[in-house]
């Protein structure tokens, strides 16, 4: 029996219904297959995107927002008159003998200091930078974002809020009402050198940019320093903290481990401070890239040791207020140094001569040599104690 004979026996309506069902079934099957392919593609896309995000998270550490710290907000000093403010009077030798870490948490408001010597020292900084630009300014362009962040932190966020009588921002321009200088109120378009120079011409603090490398070691990658003391920064660019402190005889060991620990533990917005001190017997010059007391070359060392007599009217206690601040965005740690000089005559006249002499004597031998105690130790300590001895005899 032929197929045509069978089909001839089926009504036309039945054949049309069968054909429609057949076509519909095929369409449904095709649609189902297409939907399955689309769904699988969508799932694959989502999985791939998730895996890519996980990879990014592993490669790039997530940005940690700055956490509020004690004293994190800048406290305005309305009506502030810098000409009426005396410089801070540090006497760190009274609290501890020879130099130790002495780190304490500090307030953001205390980051930048102002006093009656501001204008004179800013003019001095400008001159020193002009005459010694290669020594005073240095930067690695790879770390420009850290310089930009500090520029905006100091010039835009800090100074106009803390000292509104001295600094202001108007029409996109930062204005210094003491010096008459003005700078952009944004780091956009400024070179690294221009930003570092602007900081020199605006505040008295020196800044050293310690930036983390891929291994987590902090290295000097930029600086502005018009008041250095024995730290020729241009020759130490790229050095780690340990390399920079290598000449310090007591640094390796407990002290270096403590410094490394503090650096690694600092969170964005954290700020700590300490005060360092030394003796300067040859005048009040703050610019000392080769160190105080004629240090540097072997000939200078010999000349200093053979110096017959110290002029105590030209001898000073030099104190440096150090601040370590972790920038929120770049995670660079800014080593900020504010330098002070106190006449040794004032130290003795206020009755602190014997205490300073005892602190000088308490320095470990190698550290005393590093601080050049052989140059000034015997003469200075005898002179510091003499006034107290004479007063005691007179009272008797």
């Amino acid at each position: 029996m032929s197929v045509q004979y069978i089909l001839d026996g089926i009504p036309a309506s039945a054949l049309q219904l069968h054909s429609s069902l057949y076509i519909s079934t095929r369409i449904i099957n095709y649609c189902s297959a297409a939907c399955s392919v689309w769904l699988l593609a969508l799932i694959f896309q989502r999985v791939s995107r998730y895996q890519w995000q996980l990879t990014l998270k592993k490669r790039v550490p997530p940005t940690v927002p700055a956490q509020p710290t004690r004293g994190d907000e800048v406290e305005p000093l309305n009506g502030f008159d810098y000409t009426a403010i005396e410089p801070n009077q540090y006497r760190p030798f009274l609290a501890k003998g020879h130099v130790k870490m002495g780190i304490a948490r500090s307030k953001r408001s205390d980051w930048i200091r102002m006093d009656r010597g501001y204008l004179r020292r800013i003019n001095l900084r400008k001159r020193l930078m002009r005459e010694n630009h290669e020594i005073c300014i240095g930067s690695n362009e790879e770390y420009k974002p850290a310089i930009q962040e500090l520029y905006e932190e100091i010039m835009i966020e800090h100074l106009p809020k803390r000292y509104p009588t001295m600094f202001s921002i108007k029409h996109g321009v930062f204005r210094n009402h003491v010096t008459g200088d003005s700078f952009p109120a944004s780091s956009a378009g400024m070179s690294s050198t221009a930003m570092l120079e602007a900081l020199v011409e605006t505040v008295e603090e020196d800044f050293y940019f310690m930036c983390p490398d891929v291994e987590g070691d902090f290295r000097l990658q930029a600086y502005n320093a018009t008041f250095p003391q024995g730290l020729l920064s241009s020759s130490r660019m790229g050095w780690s903290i340990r390399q920079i402190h290598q000449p310090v005889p007591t640094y390796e060991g407990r002290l270096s481990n403590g410094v490394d620990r503090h650096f690694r533990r600092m969170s964005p917005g954290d700020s700590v401070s300490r005060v360092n001190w030394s003796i300067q017997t040859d005048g009040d010059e703050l610019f000392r890239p080769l160190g105080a007391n004629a240090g540097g070359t072997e000939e200078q060392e010999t000349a200093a040791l053979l110096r017959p007599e110290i002029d105590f009217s030209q001898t000073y206690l030099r104190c440096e207020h150090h601040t370590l601040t972790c920038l929120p965005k770049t995670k660079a740690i800014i080593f900020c140094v504010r330098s002070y000089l106190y006449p040794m005559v004032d130290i003795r006249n206020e009755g602190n001569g014997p205490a300073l002499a005892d602190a000088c004597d308490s320095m470990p031998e190698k550290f005393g040599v590093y601080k050049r105690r052989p140059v000034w130790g015997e003469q200075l300590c005898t002179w510091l104690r003499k006034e107290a001895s004479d007063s005691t005899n007179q009272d008797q």
Side-chain angles (χ1 to χ4, degrees):
M1 184 179 293
S2 66
V3 174
Q4 184 62 43
Y5 178 79
I6 296 173
L7 291 176
D8 288 341
I10 300 174
S13 59
L15 287 173
Q16 291 177 355
L17 177 61
H18 179 272
S19 177
S20 298
L21 288 174
Y22 175 76
I23 294 172
S24 298
T25 301
R26 294 299 297 266
I27 291 174
I28 291 172
N29 289 338
Y30 280 124
C31 289
S32 178
C35 287
S36 297
V37 172
W38 176 81
L39 183 60
L40 287 173
L42 180 62
I43 293 173
F44 179 77
Q45 182 186 35
R46 293 290 176 88
V47 170
S48 298
R49 182 180 298 174
Y50 178 71
Q51 289 177 337
W52 177 71
Q53 289 174 344
L54 284 180
T55 302
L56 277 184
K57 288 181 179 179
K58 290 179 180 179
R59 290 181 180 177
V60 182
T63 302
V64 180
Q67 298 296 321
T69 59
R70 184 175 60 187
D72 192 53
E73 293 301 318
V74 176
E75 180 182 352
L77 293 176
N78 298 311
F80 180 78
D81 179 8
Y82 79 94
T83 63
I85 305 300
E86 292 293 323
N88 286 4
Q89 297 295 308
Y90 290 112
R91 300 295 184 264
F93 58 85
L94 295 176
K96 54 186 185 293
H98 54 80
V99 179
K100 298 179 182 178
M101 284 180 65
I103 291 178
R105 186 174 293 277
S106 61
K107 294 181 179 181
R108 187 180 174 192
S109 292
D110 296 332
W111 196 5
I112 305 299
R113 315 290 182 88
M114 296 290 166
D115 60 50
R116 60 180 174 80
Y118 172 75
L119 184 58
R120 175 177 60 84
R121 284 192 294 268
I122 289 297
N123 288 332
L124 172 61
R125 286 168 68 83
K126 289 180 179 179
R127 177 178 66 80
L128 289 170
M129 181 175 64
R130 188 169 58 249
E131 296 173 355
N132 309 276
H133 195 275
E134 290 186 1
I135 295 177
C136 295
I137 301 292
S139 66
N140 181 339
E141 280 301 305
E142 183 180 348
Y143 295 88
K144 183 179 179 179
I147 302 173
Q148 291 178 303
E149 186 174 10
L150 181 69
Y151 179 87
E152 297 194 355
E153 282 280 342
I154 298 294
M155 305 288 278
I156 301 171
E157 298 297 326
H158 191 95
L159 293 178
K161 293 179 181 178
R162 178 65 168 167
Y163 306 105
T165 59
M166 300 177 67
F167 311 99
S168 65
I169 293 179
K170 189 174 183 180
H171 303 308
V173 178
F174 170 91
R175 301 185 185 280
N176 186 327
H177 302 296
V178 177
T179 65
D181 295 333
S182 60
F183 302 99
S186 170
S187 63
M190 295 184 70
S191 67
S192 296
T193 298
M195 288 184 283
L196 293 171
E197 290 173 344
L199 289 168
V200 166
E201 296 175 356
T202 306
V203 298
E204 295 182 49
E205 285 76 6
D206 290 337
F207 298 105
Y208 300 86
F209 294 72
M210 305 303 297
C211 303
D213 61 15
V214 293
E215 297 178 353
D217 290 330
F218 287 84
R219 297 181 178 275
L220 178 65
Q221 301 294 359
Y223 64 88
N224 64 359
T226 58
F227 297 152
Q229 183 184 205
L231 179 61
L232 189 58
S233 303
S234 56
S235 65
R236 290 170 168 81
M237 282 286 286
W239 284 22
S240 67
I241 305 170
R242 286 178 179 262
Q243 289 174 316
I244 292 173
H245 288 88
Q246 198 170 29
V248 183
T250 59
Y251 184 78
E252 279 299 328
R254 182 179 178 183
L255 186 58
S256 64
N257 292 335
V259 172
D260 290 344
R261 186 165 55 251
H262 272 284
F263 267 72
R264 292 193 173 95
R265 286 181 177 177
M266 290 189 73
S267 300
D270 279 359
S271 183
V272 296
S273 64
R274 69 185 292 268
V275 178
N276 189 17
W277 62 273
S278 60
I279 304 297
Q280 189 165 302
T281 62
D282 54 352
D284 61 355
E285 180 62 62
L286 283 166
F287 181 72
R288 304 279 180 152
L290 297 179
N293 308 321
T297 67
E298 185 177 347
E299 291 77 10
Q300 289 173 326
E301 294 284 341
T302 303
L305 290 169
L306 294 176
R307 185 179 295 150
E309 193 170 324
I310 292 177
D311 183 354
F312 297 112
S313 67
Q314 294 298 309
T315 302
Y316 295 84
L317 172 69
R318 177 168 180 153
C319 292
E320 294 180 345
H321 182 262
H322 298 166
T323 304
L324 292 176
T325 302
C326 183
L327 297 181
K329 296 178 182 177
T330 60
K331 311 300 185 297
I333 292 181
I334 305 302
F335 179 46
C336 170
V337 181
R338 174 66 180 271
S339 300
Y340 298 85
L341 285 178
Y342 307 110
M344 198 60 66
V345 173
D346 292 350
I347 302 295
R348 193 174 81 157
N349 288 344
E350 67 191 23
N352 284 321
L356 178 55
D358 291 345
C360 293
D361 288 342
S362 74
M363 292 180 184
E365 186 62 29
K366 290 183 178 180
F367 191 72
V369 172
Y370 170 72
K371 288 291 185 178
R372 299 187 55 75
R373 187 174 56 188
V375 174
W376 48 260
E378 184 176 353
Q379 291 187 61
L380 177 63
C381 291
T382 299
W383 180 80
L384 286 171
R385 292 186 175 108
K386 187 174 184 298
E387 183 70 19
S389 177
D390 291 346
S391 299
T392 301
N393 293 332
Q394 290 175 4
D395 291 341
Q396 292 176 351

Short mmCIF file of all heavy atoms in Angstrom, two decimals, residues 385-396:
data_model
loop_
_atom_site.label_atom_id
_atom_site.label_comp_id
_atom_site.label_asym_id
_atom_site.label_seq_id
_atom_site.Cartn_x
_atom_site.Cartn_y
_atom_site.Cartn_z
N ARG A 385 77.70 73.21 84.24
CA ARG A 385 77.62 72.93 85.69
C ARG A 385 78.23 74.04 86.52
O ARG A 385 77.94 74.14 87.73
CB ARG A 385 78.34 71.61 86.00
CG ARG A 385 77.64 70.37 85.43
CD ARG A 385 78.33 69.10 85.89
NE ARG A 385 77.60 67.90 85.45
CZ ARG A 385 78.02 67.08 84.50
NH1 ARG A 385 79.17 67.31 83.89
NH2 ARG A 385 77.30 66.02 84.17
N LYS A 386 79.03 74.87 85.92
CA LYS A 386 79.77 75.89 86.67
C LYS A 386 78.86 76.89 87.35
O LYS A 386 79.05 77.22 88.52
CB LYS A 386 80.73 76.64 85.73
CG LYS A 386 81.68 77.61 86.45
CD LYS A 386 82.67 78.19 85.45
CE LYS A 386 83.68 79.07 86.17
NZ LYS A 386 83.08 80.22 86.84
N GLU A 387 77.83 77.34 86.66
CA GLU A 387 76.93 78.33 87.24
C GLU A 387 76.22 77.76 88.46
O GLU A 387 76.11 78.43 89.48
CB GLU A 387 75.89 78.76 86.20
CG GLU A 387 74.93 79.85 86.67
CD GLU A 387 75.61 81.19 86.84
OE1 GLU A 387 76.69 81.39 86.28
OE2 GLU A 387 75.05 82.04 87.57
N ALA A 388 75.78 76.53 88.37
CA ALA A 388 75.11 75.91 89.51
C ALA A 388 76.08 75.75 90.67
O ALA A 388 75.73 75.98 91.83
CB ALA A 388 74.55 74.55 89.11
N SER A 389 77.34 75.41 90.38
CA SER A 389 78.35 75.25 91.43
C SER A 389 78.64 76.58 92.10
O SER A 389 78.73 76.68 93.33
CB SER A 389 79.62 74.66 90.83
OG SER A 389 80.64 74.57 91.81
N ASP A 390 78.78 77.65 91.30
CA ASP A 390 79.05 78.98 91.86
C ASP A 390 77.90 79.45 92.72
O ASP A 390 78.10 80.03 93.80
CB ASP A 390 79.29 79.99 90.73
CG ASP A 390 80.60 79.71 90.00
OD1 ASP A 390 81.41 78.93 90.52
OD2 ASP A 390 80.78 80.27 88.89
N SER A 391 76.64 79.19 92.28
CA SER A 391 75.48 79.62 93.05
C SER A 391 75.42 78.91 94.40
O SER A 391 75.09 79.49 95.42
CB SER A 391 74.21 79.36 92.25
OG SER A 391 74.21 80.09 91.04
N THR A 392 75.77 77.61 94.41
CA THR A 392 75.74 76.84 95.64
C THR A 392 76.76 77.37 96.63
O THR A 392 76.48 77.52 97.83
CB THR A 392 76.04 75.36 95.34
OG1 THR A 392 75.08 74.88 94.42
CG2 THR A 392 75.99 74.53 96.62
N ASN A 393 77.93 77.72 96.15
CA ASN A 393 78.98 78.25 97.04
C ASN A 393 78.59 79.59 97.62
O ASN A 393 78.84 79.90 98.78
CB ASN A 393 80.31 78.38 96.28
CG ASN A 393 80.89 77.03 95.88
OD1 ASN A 393 80.63 76.04 96.57
ND2 ASN A 393 81.68 77.00 94.82
N GLN A 394 77.92 80.44 96.79
CA GLN A 394 77.49 81.74 97.28
C GLN A 394 76.43 81.61 98.34
O GLN A 394 76.39 82.36 99.32
CB GLN A 394 76.96 82.57 96.11
CG GLN A 394 78.07 83.02 95.14
CD GLN A 394 77.51 83.73 93.93
OE1 GLN A 394 76.31 83.96 93.84
NE2 GLN A 394 78.39 84.10 93.01
N ASP A 395 75.52 80.63 98.19
CA ASP A 395 74.46 80.43 99.18
C ASP A 395 75.05 80.00 100.53
O ASP A 395 74.50 80.32 101.59
CB ASP A 395 73.48 79.37 98.69
CG ASP A 395 72.67 79.87 97.49
OD1 ASP A 395 72.61 81.10 97.32
OD2 ASP A 395 72.11 79.04 96.75
N GLN A 396 76.18 79.28 100.50
CA GLN A 396 76.78 78.83 101.75
C GLN A 396 77.51 79.99 102.43
O GLN A 396 77.67 80.03 103.61
CB GLN A 396 77.76 77.69 101.46
CG GLN A 396 77.05 76.41 100.96
CD GLN A 396 78.03 75.33 100.59
OE1 GLN A 396 79.25 75.55 100.54
NE2 GLN A 396 77.51 74.13 100.33
#
